[in-house]
Amino acid sequence: MAPHPAPATGDTSPIFNTFARKPLRFERGEGSRLFTEDGETYLDFAGGIAVMALGHSHPVLVETIKNQAEKLWHVSNLYDIPGQTELGNKLVENTFADKVFFTNSGTEALELAFKTARRLHYANGNPERIDILTFDGAFHGRSLAAIAATGNEKYLEGFGPKVEGFIQLPFGDHEALKEAAARETTAAILIEPVQGEGGIRPVPHQCLRGLRQLCDQHGILLIYDEVQCGVGRTGKFFAHEWASNDAGSAEPDIMAVAKGIGGGFPLGACLATAAAAEGMTPGSHGTTYGGNPLAMAVGNAVIDLVLEEGFLEDVQDKAIWLRQRLAELVDSHSDLLDEVRGEGLLQGLKCKASNLDVVAAFQSEHLLSVPAGDNVVRLLPPLNVELDVLADAVNRMDAALTAMGKA
Ligand SMILES: Cc1ncc(COP(=O)(O)O)c(C=O)c1O
């Protein structure tokens, strides 16, 4: 083969140049801590971007994966996979859903959510109903349909025509939403109950109930993207549960889940009511890897731990404690921080200084966090984080912000 020409950029890495990676190399993780090749220790409040729900190397998950690895990894969906039924039943018993399809990622779970919504209208004789309404600041993944749903020009640029049937609305513009929901081409509304990448922006609970009503009124479907905010992250099994009360239901028809459900193993799921899933007949969708025995073993173990008695209450207690400490930090560093926002252990610091500088300052104190939109720093500790680790992290943030203030 002819020698490869030297790239004009001088980039000699074999890896696509799509990520601006930090020069940090981790070789081991344990609970909330990550250890570098050079023997340095970091507190991990990035959690692989809200993935490590139970921290690194959780002994039950390690044992589970070892045991399953010795038995069976993959057979394909040509055969019955008991772990799917087991995990499916757990999800059905503990959510609004009647049906589950397992995927490998959040994007794939959303792709199926879009297909499920469109296909139901098609099966009901309304094939013109293809439009999915989404909101500014949303993030739904990086496939062609997902970037159309996300609607951010930055992700769409250069990839050809935007996939048809995704309409972005301003976050919080009720009139625009009512008008769009009433159109005869509308199939569904898609929303993250707490926007993650968009800057940890929780949707007010009455708005989620309002969306449910609006969807019922117009015969359209409500889809939640709980890829980042689900699986205990907010202190409920799923974030939208906070919004359902005597004033009304906020339950969706379809929901995309990923990240935390695999505790670090690639796993996602699309959940739906039986009525919403009715159009998805044999052959209408598929996956090679989705729901394989290895993924199912891990998913079952994660869900058992998250649904253990007292686990979610513990997340809520720790979240209240963290929230108070973060509010104090905002007060004492009001030159650099604007406000704290979020739900549960999905917390964001809206910055006055550059959020990238704050993330870098935290990193210099060996605390990992993640930037988000709207100049926010995301804090995503494991759900089973110990209180003294939270206290340690707050001290590191305080030290980092103090140093920034002096610089
Ligand atoms: C809310 C939300 N939806 C979808 C996705 C895409 O998930 P994945 O990267 O697993 O495809 C993400 C990923 O960050 C997300 O935060």
Side-chain angles (χ1 to χ4, degrees), residues 10-346:
D11 169 21
T12 53
S13 164
I15 307 301
F16 263 49
N17 203 12
T18 53
F19 286 103
R21 295 169 204 266
K22 295 184 196 310
L24 273 176
R25 289 183 165 186
F26 298 108
E27 67 171 7
R28 199 167 62 79
E30 202 181 300
S32 308
R33 292 187 170 79
L34 278 172
F35 306 94
T36 68
E37 285 180 354
D38 311 328
E40 298 198 323
T41 306
Y42 283 78
L43 285 189
D44 185 10
F45 278 37
I49 319 187
V51 165
M52 304 308 295
L54 298 167
H56 297 279
S57 306
H58 190 289
V60 173
L61 300 190
V62 171
E63 202 48 34
T64 301
I65 212 162
K66 276 188 185 163
N67 285 343
Q68 187 61 41
E70 283 173 2
K71 287 196 282 190
L72 187 66
W73 296 22
H74 178 85
V75 290
S76 92
N77 285 296
L78 292 173
Y79 310 103
D80 193 20
I81 298 174
Q84 283 192 18
T85 313
E86 191 186 337
L87 184 52
N89 277 333
K90 287 174 194 165
L91 291 168
V92 164
E93 278 159 23
N94 290 285
T95 68
F96 71 96
D98 307 301
K99 294 280 181 194
V100 184
F101 184 104
F102 292 106
T103 67
N104 311 289
S105 68
T107 302
E108 288 167 90
L110 279 147
E111 184 75 24
L112 178 54
F114 308 150
K115 287 178 72 174
T116 303
R118 286 185 175 180
R119 183 81 172 192
L120 180 68
H121 291 298
Y122 169 85
N124 287 342
N126 300 306
E128 71 288 355
R129 283 201 180 270
I130 63 156
D131 291 340
I132 295 175
L133 311 181
T134 69
F135 298 89
D136 285 349
F139 183 80
H140 300 297
R142 296 300 201 111
S143 69
L144 288 172
I147 55 176
T150 296
N152 184 332
E153 279 306 321
K154 183 173 84 177
Y155 300 139
L156 285 159
E157 188 189 349
F159 296 115
K162 183 178 163 204
V163 170
E164 237 185 283
F166 293 93
I167 296 173
Q168 277 73 43
L169 302 170
F171 195 77
D173 184 340
H174 294 172
E175 288 316 307
L177 174 63
K178 279 187 198 156
E179 191 274 315
R183 286 184 212 146
E184 283 184 355
T185 50
T186 299
I189 296 174
L190 166 65
I191 195 162
E192 295 157 81
V194 183
Q195 272 193 355
E197 305 294 315
I200 314 297
R201 295 200 293 177
V203 179
H205 296 165
Q206 74 271 20
C207 293
L208 289 183
R209 292 194 296 273
L211 287 177
R212 177 67 275 165
Q213 276 177 2
L214 194 63
C215 287
D216 291 343
Q217 189 187 339
H218 295 290
I220 59 178
L221 296 159
L222 180 57
I223 307 174
Y224 287 150
D225 178 344
E226 290 230 17
V227 166
Q228 187 156 160
C229 62
V231 194
R233 183 52 55 193
T234 67
K236 293 273 190 197
F237 192 27
F238 287 100
H240 68 269
E241 292 170 30
W242 288 108
S244 285
N245 59 23
D246 293 346
S249 162
E251 287 190 342
D253 301 290
I254 303 172
M255 180 167 73
V257 179
K259 293 193 186 261
I261 192 172
F265 196 90
L267 172 58
C270 179
L271 279 60
T273 62
E278 233 164 42
M280 297 306 291
T281 46
S284 58
H285 197 61
T287 170
T288 297
Y289 291 121
N292 79 20
L294 202 50
M296 292 301 95
V298 183
N300 272 297
V302 169
I303 293 304
D304 287 349
L305 289 165
V306 169
L307 292 179
E308 235 173 39
E309 209 182 322
F311 184 92
L312 292 172
E313 289 73 17
D314 198 41
V315 173
Q316 292 172 23
D317 290 345
K318 283 182 293 204
I320 291 169
W321 188 92
L322 176 64
R323 178 81 179 202
Q324 281 167 352
R325 299 290 89 71
L326 294 177
E328 286 163 18
L329 275 186
V330 171
D331 282 346
S332 51
H333 299 282
S334 56
D335 49 332
L336 301 169
L337 301 179
D338 191 4
E339 62 168 352
V340 52
R341 42 162 96 147
E343 275 179 15
L345 291 176
L346 180 59

